[in-house]
Amino acid sequence: MDLSTTLASLGYQRARPATEADRTEPPLSAPLRAVESFTETLRRAEELGTRSLGGGDADPHALVQALAETGLAVETAVAVRDRVVEAYQEILRMPI
């Protein structure tokens, strides 16, 4: 057996677990984690905004960063929604 073939085989065996599905995690846990992360981002930005408007001790840099993260999270959610709607419409156009 050639040395390069052996090294390629070892590399493939190490990379293979990364390409296989994780069977220990329920199938819907990744989307649920994404939704939880989205709501946590919105909650944190709302909390910082409320504290800064109320004359609290909110750090202006933290507020700007939280608002930027919220904007990015909303843009991502809208992009995902658009893709889901597009996929649904594509399914509806399929001939039976």
Side-chain angles (χ1 to χ4, degrees), residues 58-79:
D59 180 25
H61 298 290
L63 177 63
V64 170
Q65 182 178 1
L67 291 175
E69 288 175 0
T70 301
L72 183 62
V74 169
E75 288 176 12
T76 303
V78 168

Side-chain angles (χ1 to χ4, degrees), residues 4-94:
S4 62
T5 306
T6 305
L7 291 175
S9 174
L10 288 174
Y12 175 73
Q13 288 174 353
R14 279 189 235 133
R16 188 171 187 170
T19 60
E20 293 177 352
D22 184 10
R23 306 250 187 256
T24 62
E25 189 174 304
L28 293 179
S29 65
L32 290 177
R33 278 197 321 266
V35 169
E36 289 172 356
S37 173
F38 177 74
T39 56
E40 178 62 28
T41 301
L42 293 180
R43 188 197 59 74
R44 187 173 56 246
E46 183 178 358
E47 181 183 307
L48 281 171
T50 304
R51 279 198 334 220
S52 67
L53 287 176
D57 59 345
D59 180 25
H61 298 290
L63 177 63
V64 170
Q65 182 178 1
L67 291 175
E69 288 175 0
T70 301
L72 183 62
V74 169
E75 288 176 12
T76 303
V78 168
V80 168
R81 182 212 56 195
D82 290 346
R83 295 295 295 239
V84 168
V85 169
E86 184 180 312
Y88 178 72
Q89 289 174 343
E90 189 68 28
I91 290 171
L92 288 178
R93 281 185 239 138
M94 286 182 179

